[in-house]
């Protein structure tokens, strides 16, 4: 298996950590242009490039980076979206607390959840609240407007955490975008995109068979276990363990989708911050149903024999 080094090159996006620090509760919302920094690119003068919308110009530069990079280096535009408000967020002051942090109440009965089969534990694998659905729908409108006005590229590969709130967010946010551009809506359900396991029931997941039956438009990745092995662990996942898991997901995307350069992940707050830190960025918090755009550079550093 190849070894990879990942980073987020500077100079393309606004300092979202600094922007978040200026906002209520220190949480970023989706920025105009998805925080793309207006600037000139060497590719702007290319004869074949006549679309002067900001994201279209950046995409032209990004394509040039991939053409001109060494064989072992590739770039992807990644759109990272935190799910909309879930019932577990509602239970904990409308999402002002981090998922799974200091929430003893999550081990008890909570608000009614129509998607929860566990009547005695409605917060297990918490689904979206009506507000969460509205947030995801509004985010779809932002995406559609930016595609038209700014040349925002439409992701060609979608990934989602297997937890219900992410499956729902992806449906309400990304299916309208795919439909509007004649693309199939076939998100890949990826186990490694789950929230960091803290032993709280809101971060447990349902069996593979339930996910496949309830979400037939989704593609459950190969090797996805039927049972929730992570949720069966008696102790919390450490930050280091979580980082390894998230980076493994990123490696999978770079290896499996070598020809796909625009990718969307729908996942969780702590998982997003873990990824940002692993890319060498200053992690920051985001509000529910917020999208963050990144340019990610991947470099194969060696090739190790498979055991």
């Amino acid at each position: 298996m190849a070894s990879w080094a990942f980073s987020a090159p500077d100079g393309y996006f606004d300092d979202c950590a600094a922007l978040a620090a200026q906002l209520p509760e220190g949480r970023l919302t989706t920025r105009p242009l998805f925080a793309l920094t207006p600037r000139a690119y060497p590719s702007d003068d290319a004869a074949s490039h006549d679309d002067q919308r900001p994201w279209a110009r950046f995409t032209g530069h990004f394509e040039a980076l991939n053409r001109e990079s060494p064989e072992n280096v590739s770039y992807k535009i990644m759109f990272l979206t935190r799910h909309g408000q879930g019932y577990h967020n509602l239970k904990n002051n409308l999402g002002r607390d981090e998922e799974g942090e200091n929430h003893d109440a999550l081990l008890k009965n909570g608000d009614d959840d129509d998607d929860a089969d566990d009547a005695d534990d409605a917060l297990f694998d918490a689904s979206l609240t009506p507000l969460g659905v509205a947030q995801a729908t509004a985010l779809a409108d932002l995406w559609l407007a930016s595609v038209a006005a700014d040349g925002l590229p439409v992701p060609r590969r979608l990934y989602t955490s297997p937890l219900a709130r992410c499956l729902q967010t992806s449906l309400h946010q990304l299916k309208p975008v795919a439909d509007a551009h004649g693309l199939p809506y076939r998100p890949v359900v990826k186990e490694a995109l789950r929230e960091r396991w803290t032993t709280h029931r809101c971060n447990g997941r349902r069996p593979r068979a339930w996910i496949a039956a309830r979400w037939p438009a989704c593609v459950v990745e190969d090797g996805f276990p039927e049972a929730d092995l992570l949720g069966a662990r008696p102790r919390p996942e450490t930050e280091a363990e979580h980082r390894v898991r998230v980076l493994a997901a990123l490696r999978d995307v770079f290896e499996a989708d070598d020809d796909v350069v625009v990718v969307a992940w729908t996942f969780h707050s702590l998982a997003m911050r873990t990824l940002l830190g692993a890319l060498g960025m200053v992690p920051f918090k985001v509000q529910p149903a917020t999208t963050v755009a990144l340019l990610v550079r991947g470099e194969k550093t060696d090739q190790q024999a498979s055991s």
Side-chain angles (χ1 to χ4, degrees):
M1 179 181 295
S3 178
W4 287 82
F6 296 107
S7 60
D10 293 331
Y12 296 106
F13 292 91
D14 299 340
D15 185 346
C16 288
L19 291 169
Q22 301 171 22
L23 295 172
E25 303 165 8
R27 294 181 184 275
L28 194 75
T29 57
T30 305
R31 303 292 299 175
L33 292 178
F34 292 79
L36 182 69
T37 303
R39 52 162 285 188
Y41 306 103
S43 57
D44 284 348
D45 296 331
S48 61
H49 187 69
D50 57 4
D51 190 338
Q52 293 302 303
R53 293 176 297 174
W55 265 97
R57 290 192 301 104
F58 171 66
T59 302
H61 172 66
F62 161 77
E63 291 169 348
L65 285 176
N66 270 325
R67 286 194 305 269
E68 298 164 7
S69 293
E71 185 177 348
N72 67 322
V73 173
S74 59
Y75 294 83
K76 292 189 188 295
I77 297 172
M78 295 191 64
F79 292 102
L80 312 177
T81 299
R82 182 190 176 189
H83 62 78
Q85 183 197 75
Y87 277 99
H88 63 309
N89 300 132
L90 183 64
K91 184 76 176 179
N92 295 280
N93 298 321
L94 299 177
R96 286 196 289 271
D97 295 325
E98 287 301 322
E99 295 184 58
E101 290 185 349
N102 302 318
H103 295 337
D104 292 340
L106 295 184
L107 301 178
K108 303 174 183 178
N109 294 343
D111 303 271
D112 291 338
D113 179 350
D114 291 339
D115 281 347
D117 291 338
D118 301 50
D120 61 338
D121 190 358
L123 295 182
F124 170 76
D125 188 17
S127 64
L128 294 182
T129 66
L131 176 58
V133 172
Q135 290 169 335
T137 301
L139 187 56
D141 292 339
L142 283 177
W143 274 61
L144 289 167
S146 190
V147 171
D150 309 320
L152 187 79
V154 178
R156 297 308 173 101
R157 187 79 79 234
L158 313 178
Y159 291 89
T160 177
S161 160
L163 301 193
R165 53 194 180 272
C166 293
L167 295 165
Q168 288 177 289
T169 298
S170 179
L171 176 69
H172 292 290
Q173 176 213 346
L174 292 173
K175 188 175 187 301
V177 177
D179 289 349
H181 294 87
L183 298 173
Y185 176 72
R186 297 287 286 165
V188 176
V189 180
K190 195 161 190 62
E191 176 81 334
L193 293 187
R194 288 173 62 178
E195 184 62 295
R196 180 160 64 90
W197 174 243
T198 60
T199 75
H200 292 297
R201 296 283 285 164
C202 66
N203 290 330
R205 78 154 168 86
R206 301 175 192 279
R208 175 188 176 123
W210 185 96
I211 296 169
R214 183 66 66 94
W215 300 94
C218 296
V219 178
V220 182
E221 68 177 344
D222 292 340
F224 190 98
E226 174 64 25
D228 181 3
L229 302 181
L230 181 64
R233 294 177 55 160
R235 64 167 179 85
E237 190 176 24
T238 67
E239 292 183 12
E241 289 170 336
H242 189 208
R243 180 185 177 113
V244 168
R245 175 159 64 82
V246 171
L247 281 176
L250 187 59
R251 183 197 64 223
D252 289 350
V253 168
F254 269 74
E255 290 185 345
D257 290 336
D258 185 60
D259 59 336
V260 177
V261 294
V262 184
V263 175
W265 282 10
T266 305
F267 59 150
H268 306 266
S269 175
L270 292 178
M272 185 184 296
R273 289 164 61 190
T274 294
L275 177 61
L276 296 175
L279 292 172
M281 302 175 64
V282 177
F284 52 88
K285 300 177 182 179
V286 299
Q287 293 284 2
T290 291
T291 296
V292 174
L294 299 179
L295 176 65
V296 178
R297 180 184 187 273
E299 179 177 355
K300 283 186 180 181
T301 56
D302 60 20
Q303 186 76 29
Q304 301 173 350
S306 300
S307 57

